[in-house]
């Protein structure tokens, strides 16, 4: 397989990546044939996967605008993936030119492309990091050089926690992020769930199998299990709901049924 010019040296282009598969779902071009093959296998079982990812992105944009309206001007996007049109820095800085954004991902392609996109933007950076090691992220000189953690920050965990197995104690990771941020900070979160899916759980399990095959287990959690990530936060209305139902800008009835797979919510730290 020929290595594209934009692909950093040292990455294994024969192994699919969650962030590049996500990029493919969204119609991006920073993915390899192995990523596209994995995505197509998943879509054979669940053809609405791109609609789910689009709903994720739409929720993220609404939540970022909400945070800016609440006076938050700092954003820490963990598991950010490959930047696409309408990403966090574009939405936040359109509303507040002084907004600062740090993108964090463990995928070298995501980080490299993020840095290329952000070149010349002194108020947004992309750094390497892993949600499973939140204290390393928070202690990063790059993060602390741009964000002031003594002031409110919105922590975005959009479509990332369902790739963290229970063995890595994701609740503790989220709690460490919560405790390191100032009062008034926010958490913005989406998570996959069998609840609300348009296909039987057994069929959806085949999608889980695709991700297991590429060594990126997809962990489906119930609404109650997802709600645990918001412990220590005050939930913002309308609470933890299917993505199109979180402060929709258009009638949620117009959304594709697949968009209602999984949950989204925003919490504020008192």
């Amino acid at each position: 397989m020929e290595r594209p010019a934009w692909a950093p040296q040292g990455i294994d282009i024969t192994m699919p990546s969650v962030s590049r598969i996500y990029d493919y779902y969204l119609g991006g071009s920073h993915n390899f044939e192995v990523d596209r093959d994995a995505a197509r296998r998943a879509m054979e079982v669940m053809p609405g996967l791109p609609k789910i990812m689009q709903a994720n992105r739409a929720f993220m944009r609404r939540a970022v605008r909400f945070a800016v309206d609440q006076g938050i001007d700092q954003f820490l996007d963990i598991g950010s993936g490959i930047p696409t049109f309408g990403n966090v820095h574009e939405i936040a800085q359109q509303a507040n030119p002084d907004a600062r954004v740090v993108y964090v991902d463990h995928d070298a392609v995501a980080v490299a492309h993020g840095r290329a996109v952000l070149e010349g933007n002194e108020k947004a950076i992309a750094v390497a990091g892993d949600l499973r090691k939140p204290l390393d992220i928070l202690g990063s000189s790059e993060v602390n050089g741009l964000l002031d953690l003594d002031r409110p920050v919105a922590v975005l965990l959009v479509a990332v926690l369902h790739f963290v197995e229970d063995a890595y104690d994701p609740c503790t990771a989220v709690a460490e992020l919560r405790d390191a941020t100032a009062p008034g900070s926010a958490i913005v979160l989406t998570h996959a769930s069998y609840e609300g899916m348009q296909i039987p759980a057994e069929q959806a399990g085949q999608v889980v199998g695709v991700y297991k095959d590429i060594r990126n287990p997809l962990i489906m959690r119930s609404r109650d299990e997802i709600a645990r990530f918001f412990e220590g936060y005050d939930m913002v209305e309308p609470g933890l709901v299917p993505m199109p139902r979180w402060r929709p800008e258009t009638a949620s009835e117009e959304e594709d049924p697949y968009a209602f797979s999984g949950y989204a919510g925003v919490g504020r730290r008192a």
Side-chain angles (χ1 to χ4, degrees):
M1 182 185 299
E2 184 177 350
R3 181 183 297 273
W6 51 262
Q9 294 296 319
I11 67 165
D12 184 356
I13 64 175
T14 67
M15 177 58 63
S17 154
V18 165
S19 64
R20 298 194 304 266
I21 291 172
Y22 189 87
D23 177 66
Y24 176 73
Y25 288 144
L26 291 173
S29 59
H30 285 77
N31 48 74
F32 307 133
E33 183 56 34
V34 291
D35 306 308
R36 296 188 285 273
D37 178 65
R40 287 191 288 261
R41 284 192 287 131
M43 290 168 61
E44 286 177 4
V45 181
M46 188 181 295
L49 277 167
K51 293 295 183 182
I52 297 173
M53 306 313 163
Q54 292 165 18
N56 256 290
R57 299 286 297 180
F59 160 76
M60 177 274 290
R61 291 191 286 267
R62 297 195 303 275
V64 167
R65 285 192 287 266
F66 168 81
V68 174
D69 288 344
Q70 295 297 304
I72 296 176
D73 61 1
Q74 302 186 107
F75 297 84
L76 179 61
D77 186 356
I78 302 176
S80 55
I82 296 170
T84 56
F85 176 75
N87 215 23
V88 176
H89 72 282
E90 293 174 323
I91 303 303
Q93 292 176 353
Q94 182 180 47
N96 179 354
D98 292 325
R100 296 171 181 265
V101 178
V102 175
Y103 294 110
V104 181
D105 206 283
H106 70 278
D107 186 313
V109 170
V111 176
H113 188 49
R115 288 172 175 168
V117 168
L118 298 171
E119 188 174 357
N121 188 330
E122 297 180 354
K123 295 174 183 176
I125 59 174
V127 304
D130 193 322
L131 174 57
R132 295 172 297 183
K133 299 178 180 179
L135 297 183
D136 289 353
I137 295 173
L138 296 168
S140 162
S141 59
E142 294 172 295
V143 172
N144 285 278
L146 190 65
L147 304 184
D148 179 0
L149 297 180
D150 291 327
R151 297 176 50 246
V153 57
V155 177
L156 280 73
L157 302 174
V158 177
V160 63
L161 278 163
H162 47 234
F163 292 113
V164 182
E165 298 174 89
D166 290 339
Y168 291 103
D169 197 2
C171 282
T172 294
V174 174
E176 289 177 347
L177 291 167
R178 178 198 66 213
D179 293 344
T181 55
S185 293
I187 182 173
V188 176
L189 186 156
T190 67
H191 198 296
S193 177
Y194 286 124
E195 298 172 16
M197 283 200 172
Q198 300 300 302
I199 59 177
E202 181 179 343
Q203 184 177 341
Q206 296 178 48
V207 176
V208 174
V210 170
Y211 282 90
K212 184 177 180 180
D213 288 346
I214 66 171
R215 289 181 271 171
N216 282 284
L218 175 60
I219 313 302
M220 297 292 193
R221 295 186 171 100
S222 68
R223 185 183 183 281
D224 288 344
E225 289 172 324
I226 299 167
R228 289 185 56 204
F229 293 121
F230 289 93
E231 290 180 1
Y233 290 96
D234 295 328
M235 291 299 296
V236 171
E237 290 295 334
L240 185 60
V241 295
M243 293 174 288
R245 294 199 173 115
W246 197 89
R247 303 193 173 215
E249 295 170 347
T250 58
S252 60
E253 292 76 14
E254 298 176 7
E255 293 283 349
D256 186 284
Y258 272 103
F260 293 85
S261 304
Y263 291 98
V266 175
R268 296 293 301 275
R269 187 179 175 200

